[in-house]
Amino acid sequence: MDASRPPKRARQACEQCRRKKSRCPGERPACSYCQRLGQTCEYAGDEEPDYTRKMEQRVEGIEGKLEALIECFSNRNPPLTPSPTTTFQPRQQYPVGIANTPLMQHSSVAQGALQLFKTYCNFQPLPLFNCQYFPASGEGRDEELLLAMRALGLRFSGNGIADPETRRQIKEWAERSRCMVMTRVMEGSVELSTLQTLCILTFIDYTSGHTMRSGANLRLATYILQNLKFGSAELANLENERDERQLLRWSIHMLGNLTGEPSPRLTFGNKKDLGVAVCAIQLSEVWGLAQSYAASPVTADSPPPWAPQSDYSRITFRHTEYESVTPLKYRLHETRLDELTGPDLQQRRDFWGHCLFFQMVFHAIPCLLNHPLLLSARLRNFRYTMPQSFLRHSYEQITLHAGWILHFIELLEAKGYEVSDPTLGQCAVIVATIYLQHSFVEDLFFREKAQSGYAKCLSFLQRMALRWPNIERQVENLRQLRSSISAGDVQNSQQTWSVNVHLLRDILISAPPKQTATDFLGPGLAMESALHTESCTPDPEFGLIGSAGISGHKTVARNLVTYYPPEQVLQPTPPDMSALLGEPGGLTGAPDNAFLQAQDYGRFIDNWLDLPTYS
């Protein structure tokens, strides 16, 4: 052995050598270095065996408690009652390697699911990650976040959730991600990725019908966020934002509006263009209010819809206010959506996803506000006092805005563009119920157009049902609703129809399945759940479905008319204002000219003021 080689470092240095950062020979009870210097030599942890034994017992007890908690959340085995010294064997299901299932024997499947998340989920609608810097490989991301992203992205592979193996793999990934998140919460090791995972799990649970669990996830994420000082509370352009803390803040804000957990209102005072993502976040607030409007019970002292203090009027104001602050370049005539090809849209899905959200949700809100079923509950006490102009306005609103949503459905189908945002699917569901009601009117032309519109909405939803369980459930609900419509007596040469109104209401509010409570609560609490609903029975107050808008409802006096004069069509042609606008065809019925530009409004006002006055 070469004597010139330095001695090996001792396994444990004495306190004197450790303090001086010297190489300790390690002799016991005193090292030669301390003996040579004549100083006291001490080694830390001389009572280590007993201390280590106690610490091991404490760790075992903590692990036992965590294991019991995980078992309770998984709902697979009866809960355990651990003692501080109990030792538990780890569950086989958690944690395990990703490649333990037939679908995951190849890492390419997991990598493909991550890429599908980036293509079809990010910024559609939640702006969780910057698209340009999104790591396609997932390098540097925590395991629970990768599992959640794969669980959501795998929905867009092949036949989606129609494939039992894909559905099973999605469920397994989501459960493992959920267990990892809860473990981080219990251990006190929550990170940014934990909150991002909670957002994705909330979206997965909500669209799967597990609304109680999604609400718990979202409130936990919101509570943690409220106790942190990161991410500015002021809106900024998110399309180029690289700070994921900022993106997380506004993703949670938007997620609350979409899932029935509305967030505090944003300020509309900023007229600066902050990008289409911010426009979508602002509109999600109005959408959340419209959803609450649909689900809220109506009391005997509720004001009429046309009253300024009514929820109908307040939401209508917010809807109009939102349009007033939206930059013109995001409106239909400026985006030139009809001129683009399918590959053009596919290349910028992160941008067009929010553009389509803006267009379809904007038109779906008036359809929901003026839906005949929801208005009927608010008009019950005003049968002989309701203004005829309000009925006509309501009919015009659902006819106009439902037509626009059908236009987008046809346009996207022609371009071969797959819509991946389930919120847009719910917009189509609302319009489908309106077309279904109008499919039974006496007018042949109107009836055939409504039947065609219903069929197109249903076809659009069937494709989305391959990706989203909630849309799959809504398609089945629409079919049941169609089957529930039955003929009644013929009175005054008019056929009456009855419909299952409880099912119709569940469709409009996207009610979760009845077994949701048992998926989250134990048997002792499941029967006490507020989500429990009674069996559906037809409501005699909604006995005439084959009518235009609300006109045929029993809450409306029969001498009130919503139709236009006989010589006009069902959808009135806008008056010719070319003389005022200064150019021919200033207002046309073509979709690409539906919104006047800013200079058109200014020219209109100037020309109006220039008209001669008469004394």
Side-chain angles (χ1 to χ4, degrees):
M1 187 174 180
D2 189 359
S4 63
R5 293 180 59 184
K8 294 183 179 179
R9 182 184 297 271
R11 185 173 183 180
Q12 181 180 6
C14 68
E15 289 300 303
Q16 296 290 352
C17 293
R18 186 193 303 275
R19 192 177 302 112
K20 297 179 180 179
K21 297 182 179 180
S22 302
R23 187 183 299 273
C24 181
E27 298 97 342
R28 300 280 185 133
C31 70
S32 57
Y33 181 80
C34 290
Q35 289 179 346
R36 188 174 71 251
L37 296 178
Q39 59 189 14
T40 304
C41 183
E42 295 179 349
Y43 286 88
D46 286 339
E47 296 129 352
E48 187 172 353
D50 183 59
Y51 173 80
T52 303
R53 186 167 51 254
K54 292 181 179 179
M55 287 300 299
E56 288 178 350
Q57 291 177 353
R58 291 186 62 189
V59 170
E60 288 177 357
I62 294 173
E63 289 177 346
K65 293 178 182 179
L66 287 174
E67 199 64 40
L69 182 62
I70 293 171
E71 291 289 346
C72 292
F73 274 109
S74 66
N75 205 19
R76 295 178 180 176
N77 297 312
L80 303 173
T81 307
S83 65
T85 59
T86 304
T87 301
F88 291 92
Q89 296 296 327
R91 289 186 350 180
Q92 295 181 356
Q93 293 85 357
Y94 173 78
V96 294
I98 295 179
N100 68 324
T101 62
L103 186 62
M104 289 309 301
Q105 290 177 354
H106 303 286
S107 60
S108 60
V109 178
Q111 190 62 35
L114 198 62
Q115 184 63 37
L116 289 171
F117 174 87
K118 176 184 178 182
T119 302
Y120 291 98
C121 303
N122 194 38
F123 271 74
Q124 301 170 73
L126 302 182
L128 274 173
F129 307 99
N130 184 289
C131 297
Q132 183 178 356
Y133 301 97
F134 183 86
S137 63
E139 183 179 355
R141 298 289 179 176
D142 289 330
E143 185 68 12
E144 67 270 18
L145 178 58
L146 292 176
L147 287 170
M149 289 192 291
R150 289 166 184 156
L152 191 58
L154 194 61
R155 295 173 184 262
F156 296 91
S157 65
N159 291 326
I161 60 175
D163 180 7
E165 179 62 23
T166 299
R167 189 186 287 261
R168 186 200 62 77
Q169 183 63 71
I170 291 173
K171 181 179 179 181
E172 179 181 327
W173 276 341
E175 287 181 352
R176 291 180 52 216
S177 176
R178 192 176 298 113
C179 289
M180 290 181 178
V181 168
M182 290 298 104
T183 301
R184 278 191 176 274
V185 172
M186 294 300 102
E187 292 179 345
S189 57
V190 174
E191 296 289 349
L192 174 64
S193 62
T194 312
L195 300 180
Q196 294 169 329
T197 305
L198 282 171
C199 282
I200 299 175
L201 291 177
T202 298
F203 207 58
I204 292 175
D205 288 333
Y206 180 78
T207 55
S208 299
H210 306 299
T211 53
M212 293 189 69
R213 190 160 62 195
S214 70
N217 290 337
L218 181 60
R219 292 181 185 185
L220 175 60
T222 303
Y223 177 78
I224 295 174
L225 182 66
Q226 290 172 349
N227 289 273
L228 298 175
K229 294 182 178 180
F230 70 59
S232 173
E234 182 179 353
L235 267 175
N237 192 316
L238 301 180
E239 294 165 27
N240 299 318
E241 181 62 62
R242 297 183 61 178
D243 187 353
E244 292 187 0
R245 300 173 302 173
Q246 180 79 344
L247 295 173
L248 171 69
R249 173 182 293 277
W250 296 115
S251 293
I252 292 178
H253 183 93
M254 187 178 196
L255 191 57
N257 296 325
L258 299 180
T259 60
E261 301 282 344
S263 306
R265 179 185 176 184
L266 296 174
T267 302
F268 285 98
N270 193 346
K271 299 292 184 179
K272 184 181 178 181
D273 178 14
L274 299 179
V276 67
V278 170
C279 291
I281 292 173
Q282 291 174 327
L283 183 59
S284 71
E285 291 187 355
V286 190
W287 173 253
L289 293 175
Q291 286 184 304
S292 299
Y293 164 89
S296 300
V298 181
T299 60
D301 58 347
S302 296
W306 54 84
Q309 68 274 22
S310 69
D311 50 0
Y312 178 97
S313 295
R314 287 187 288 104
I315 299 172
T316 301
F317 168 75
R318 288 288 303 277
H319 186 255
T320 306
E321 180 190 36
Y322 166 79
E323 185 181 10
S324 70
V325 299
T326 302
L328 289 174
K329 73 182 206 177
Y330 300 128
R331 302 186 186 182
L332 185 63
H333 69 281
E334 285 291 334
T335 60
R336 305 297 182 187
L337 179 63
D338 56 330
E339 300 176 6
L340 299 175
T341 64
D344 292 335
L345 300 178
Q346 185 70 20
Q347 188 176 6
R348 289 292 314 278
R349 289 189 66 96
D350 56 318
F351 175 81
W352 291 109
H354 278 147
C355 278
L356 291 172
F357 182 96
F358 161 65
Q359 297 291 347
M360 294 187 68
V361 173
F362 180 83
H363 290 292
I365 291 172
C367 292
L368 191 58
L369 290 179
N370 294 279
H371 196 281
L373 176 65
L374 302 180
L375 274 186
S376 66
R378 289 162 172 78
L379 294 174
R380 185 168 293 134
N381 299 325
F382 308 98
R383 179 174 183 179
Y384 297 103
T385 59
M386 64 181 66
Q388 185 172 348
S389 58
F390 178 80
L391 297 181
R392 185 166 57 249
H393 169 76
S394 170
Y395 171 64
E396 290 173 349
Q397 287 288 295
I398 60 175
T399 304
L400 171 66
H401 292 286
W404 271 108
I405 291 182
L406 186 61
H407 167 74
F408 288 118
I409 290 175
E410 294 173 338
L411 187 64
L412 295 174
E413 181 179 6
K415 297 179 183 297
Y417 179 87
E418 180 177 1
V419 174
S420 57
D421 185 350
T423 307
L424 308 190
Q426 181 62 18
C427 296
V429 167
I430 295 170
V431 172
T433 62
I434 294 175
Y435 281 127
L436 181 60
Q437 173 186 341
H438 291 170
S439 295
F440 295 87
V441 297
E442 289 187 331
D443 185 277
L444 178 61
F445 175 74
F446 194 8
R447 182 171 68 244
E448 290 180 345
K449 288 196 65 176
Q451 291 172 350
S452 174
Y454 174 77
K456 291 177 181 178
C457 288
L458 194 62
S459 176
F460 173 77
L461 291 168
Q462 286 172 334
R463 290 189 293 274
M464 293 197 70
L466 296 175
R467 315 303 183 190
W468 301 104
N470 60 328
I471 303 300
E472 181 183 37
R473 187 172 62 252
Q474 291 286 57
V475 169
E476 181 60 29
N477 288 340
L478 285 172
R479 288 171 176 162
Q480 292 182 13
L481 184 68
R482 175 63 182 84
S483 301
S484 74
I485 299 176
S486 57
D489 297 332
V490 178
Q491 298 177 356
N492 300 328
S493 301
Q494 189 174 21
Q495 179 70 59
T496 60
W497 306 85
S498 62
V499 65
N500 187 334
V501 294
H502 292 287
L503 177 59
L504 177 55
R505 179 182 178 275
D506 287 346
I507 292 174
L508 293 178
I509 65 175
S510 190
K514 296 180 181 179
Q515 67 271 19
T516 297
T518 59
D519 290 344
F520 187 79
L521 302 174
L525 293 177
M527 295 304 297
E528 304 295 331
S529 170
L531 297 178
H532 182 71
T533 56
E534 302 296 334
S535 59
C536 295
T537 54
D539 184 353
E541 285 296 319
F542 202 76
L544 186 62
I545 194 172
S547 59
I550 193 67
S551 62
H553 194 271
K554 290 186 177 181
T555 59
V556 180
R558 292 189 177 183
N559 55 344
L560 285 177
V561 181
T562 60
Y563 292 106
Y564 294 95
E567 295 182 358
Q568 295 191 15
V569 296
L570 291 172
Q571 296 187 13
T573 303
D576 183 10
M577 305 179 105
S578 57
L580 295 176
L581 292 173
E583 58 184 51
L587 277 177
T588 67
D592 55 351
N593 286 331
F595 294 97
L596 291 178
Q597 300 185 22
Q599 61 268 24
D600 295 330
Y601 285 108
R603 188 164 57 254
F604 177 88
I605 295 173
D606 292 340
N607 292 340
W608 182 269
L609 295 175
D610 290 339
L611 289 177
T613 57
Y614 300 92
S615 55

